[in-house]
Amino acid sequence: MIEDGGGAGSGAEVGDDGEPADGAGSASGEAAAADANGDGLTDVARAADVADVAIVGAGAAGLACAIFAAEEAARLARPPRIVALESARRIGAKILISGGGRCNATHERVTPEDFNGARNPIRNVLAAFDVEATVRWFASLGVELKREETGKLFPVTNRAQTVVDALVARCRALGVELRTGCRVEAVRACTDSDGVAGSRGSSSQTTADAAARFEVTHARGVLRARRLVLATGGRSLPRTGSDGSGYALAQSLGHTVTETQPALVPLVLARGFFHAELRGVSQPTELATWADGKRVDRRTGSMLWTHFGISGPVALDASRHWLAARSSGARVRLAASFFPGESAEAVDARLRALAAERPRASLGRLLAGLLPERLALALLRVAGVDPSTQAAQLTREQRRALVAALTDLELPVVGPRGWDHAEVTMGGVPLAEVDYRTLASRRAPGLYLAGEILDCDGRIGGFNFQWAWATAFLAGRAAARSLAQDDPHAAPRRA
C-alpha cells in the first residue's frame, strides 16, 4: 500500500539536502548533523557505513519494521544500528492520503478470506499480529483508534498525520536512522572476499562488521548491512514513491515475482455509456464478475458513478477480480444489480406489486422512489421504456427488459484507471519463497520481506494496512533476533 535519513545513531530524519526534514529532530543534537557533503551522514558514519539492519522503504511496513526490530534489538548487549532508506523526500506519503487523509489503520475484523494469495501463509501471518495487537500497539504509540459503522478503524483525530508522526517519533526515540531521498539502485549479497570497513566509529573491525551480508547502493552512496529488509511497497500510487523498483531488488537476490497489476482501482467504462451523466451519484450495488460464463466473484457495497466510469468501495474491490480474470485470457463480464440480495424474480414481483398499487403512476416516478432519479431514468432508457409510461401499461417484454437492467446490467469495462489511481498491487514475491513464521527469504540468507512487495492483497477497508503491520512485526523482530547468531557480542542481555 507508502514508504526515509539520519546520521549514525542519531534517530533523525534527514532530507536529501542533508538538512533535517520538516518537523524532524535529532536525538543527539548538532553532533549528528551532516557535514558539507550534504549526504545526511556524519564523518564517522560516512567513513564506514555499515548497518546491523537496513530497511529499504520507510512507508507503513518499513517504519513499523524498524520499530519492531529496534524494540527487539534493545535486549541485545550491543545496541544495533538500524537504517531505513526512503526514495521520497518526505516520509509517509501514501499513509497521508489513505482513507481520505484519515488513515484507515485496520478493520475490526480481519480474516484470511479478506485477502487474495496463498491462504495458509496469510492465516499464520495475520494470527501472529492480529487486530487486537494492532490496536494495543497504536495505543502504546499514543494513537487511539475509533471504530466506525463500517468496521473501519481510524485515529480519533481523523488525521493520517497523527499516524505518521507517531511512527516517526517512535523511530527517533529508538535511535532508528531515517534517510529520505535515498533511492536504492541495487543490492547484492556480499561474498567472503568482500572487505568491510569498521562501523560506528570503532577503532577496530568487529565481528559484527565482518558479518555484513549485503551491499546496498543508493542515490548517495553505499550501505553495507548484516540484515536486509525489503519493504518497498508495490507499484500503486507511484507519485508517493512506490514505483515497483523493489521487485527488481528482490529478483537480483534470487526471488521470482508474479505478474503485477493494479488492484483496488477505479474502472474505466466505454465512451457512450451513461456513466458521465450520472457523475457524483452513488448507491448500494451488487457487482458480479463472470469469466467464461462462470461467476468468479460477487460483492456488495457503495458504487460511485464518475466521469470516466465507476469507483467507490464495491467497484475497487471488484476491480481486482475483473483484472485477474482478464489476465487469464477469459471472456470477462462485469454485471451490476441495483437491488443487492434480491433475485430477478423478486424484483419482477416488486414491480408488478407497485404497478398494481399505483397503476397510473409513471415508471420514471415509481423507479425514482427506489433508486436515485438520474440512475432510474438511465436504466429505463437502457430497457427501452419511456419514463412517462404508466405502470399499468408496461408490457411483459418491457418489464423483463427493465428487470434485466435493474438486476443484471452489463458494465462495458475498458480497463483499470491505472497505477496512479490504484490503492494496492496485485502480484509480487510469492509467499512460498519466504518463511511465513519470520518472513525470512528462502532464497537469500539474511534477507526479509514485508508489506506490499509480497504477493498478497486485501480488500478495501484497512486490510492492507493490517498486512503491513503484521508482516513488519514478524520481519522486524526476526531480523533483530537473528543478529545474535553471527555476532557473539550481540547475545541477549541476561535478565
Side-chain angles (χ1 to χ4, degrees):
M1 313 179 322
I2 298 202
E3 286 84 354
D4 271 316
S10 69
E13 177 191 343
V14 177
D16 57 6
D17 54 1
E19 296 296 328
D22 292 346
S26 171
S28 58
E30 295 181 0
D35 74 353
N37 287 330
D39 57 5
L41 299 175
T42 63
D43 290 335
V44 170
R46 187 180 302 105
D49 204 11
V50 180
D52 291 295
V53 180
I55 301 170
V56 183
L63 290 171
C65 186
I67 291 170
F68 289 126
E71 290 177 340
E72 181 67 25
R75 301 190 305 109
L76 301 179
R78 180 178 64 81
R81 182 176 179 220
I82 299 174
V83 179
L85 303 173
E86 168 59 36
S87 63
R89 287 175 58 89
R90 294 291 179 264
I91 296 176
K94 196 170 184 180
I95 298 175
L96 290 174
I97 64 176
S98 67
R102 297 193 300 144
C103 184
N104 181 188
T106 187
H107 195 278
E108 67 169 346
R109 184 173 183 272
V110 177
T111 70
E113 289 68 33
D114 294 310
F115 296 83
N116 302 287
R119 195 54 52 84
N120 286 335
I122 292 173
R123 178 178 293 106
N124 283 278
V125 169
L126 296 175
F129 195 74
D130 59 16
V131 174
E132 289 73 19
T134 297
V135 173
R136 290 194 302 269
W137 180 59
F138 270 107
S140 74
L141 298 177
V143 180
E144 296 295 329
L145 300 179
K146 63 175 181 177
R147 175 194 177 279
E148 299 197 344
E149 290 184 6
T150 58
K152 299 176 181 179
L153 271 60
F154 292 89
V156 295
T157 61
N158 280 325
R159 296 179 65 246
Q161 188 68 57
T162 301
V163 174
V164 174
D165 288 347
L167 294 172
V168 172
R170 184 56 178 160
C171 282
R172 290 182 193 154
L174 292 167
V176 174
E177 301 172 38
L178 303 175
R179 301 190 197 169
T180 57
C182 286
R183 179 182 174 83
V184 172
E185 300 162 353
V187 295
R188 73 176 182 89
C190 295
T191 63
D192 293 338
S193 61
D194 289 317
V196 181
S199 72
R200 310 200 69 192
S202 59
S203 58
S204 62
Q205 183 173 336
T206 66
T207 302
D209 303 332
R213 296 185 180 185
F214 301 96
E215 183 176 274
V216 182
T217 302
H218 56 84
R220 295 199 306 278
V222 174
L223 174 70
R224 288 183 181 244
R226 298 174 59 200
R227 299 293 183 271
L228 178 64
V229 181
L230 295 182
T232 57
R235 296 178 62 191
S236 59
L237 296 170
R239 67 182 182 277
T240 62
S242 180
D243 60 3
S245 60
Y247 298 126
L249 301 181
Q251 288 175 317
S252 71
L253 293 173
H255 280 282
T256 62
V257 175
T258 61
E259 179 186 6
T260 58
Q261 295 190 72
L264 298 187
V265 61
L267 294 173
V268 178
L269 300 184
R271 290 184 179 182
F273 199 62
F274 62 69
H275 55 277
E277 63 189 73
L278 268 61
R279 179 177 182 175
V281 173
S282 65
Q283 71 289 312
T285 305
E286 180 180 284
L287 290 180
T289 302
W290 299 78
D292 289 335
K294 179 181 179 181
R295 190 176 65 203
V296 295
D297 181 68
R298 180 173 63 182
R299 57 193 60 244
T300 299
S302 177
M303 188 176 83
L304 173 69
W305 298 98
T306 72
H307 66 285
F308 59 79
I310 56 173
S311 188
V314 71
L316 298 183
D317 279 334
S319 67
R320 196 258 185 223
H321 302 281
W322 187 91
L323 285 162
R326 186 184 69 168
S327 67
S328 71
R331 179 175 54 84
V332 190
R333 179 176 183 268
L334 184 66
S337 171
F338 304 103
F339 289 85
E342 295 190 45
S343 65
E345 292 75 19
V347 173
D348 181 75
R350 181 190 287 212
L351 291 179
R352 284 187 282 109
L354 283 173
E357 293 173 9
R358 303 173 59 188
R360 295 186 178 182
S362 71
L363 287 168
R365 179 171 298 180
L366 282 180
L367 279 187
L370 303 174
L371 299 170
E373 184 176 10
R374 279 189 283 167
L375 174 60
L377 294 177
L379 294 175
L380 283 167
R381 190 167 66 245
V382 168
V385 177
D386 188 329
S388 64
T389 302
Q390 291 185 346
Q393 297 175 340
L394 188 67
T395 67
R396 178 180 297 179
E397 290 70 23
Q398 287 177 321
R399 193 178 69 247
R400 287 177 177 173
L402 181 55
V403 168
L406 294 171
T407 64
D408 189 36
L409 178 70
E410 181 168 0
L411 300 175
V413 180
V414 174
R417 202 176 181 202
W419 289 109
D420 287 339
H421 302 277
E423 295 192 16
V424 73
T425 303
M426 169 179 25
V429 176
L431 293 177
E433 295 183 7
V434 297
D435 183 335
Y436 65 79
R437 295 163 296 187
T438 62
L439 278 302
S441 165
R442 298 183 186 276
R443 302 293 178 87
L447 173 66
Y448 299 79
L449 299 96
E452 194 178 344
I453 191 172
L454 293 164
D455 186 5
C456 174
D457 58 281
R459 65 186 182 90
I460 197 169
F463 299 95
N464 290 293
F465 269 130
Q466 184 62 37
W467 178 253
W469 315 135
T471 55
F473 173 79
L474 290 174
R477 283 164 53 97
R481 286 176 178 173
S482 71
L483 293 173
Q485 297 175 3
D486 54 12
D487 182 3
H489 299 291
R493 294 187 181 122
R494 295 180 180 178

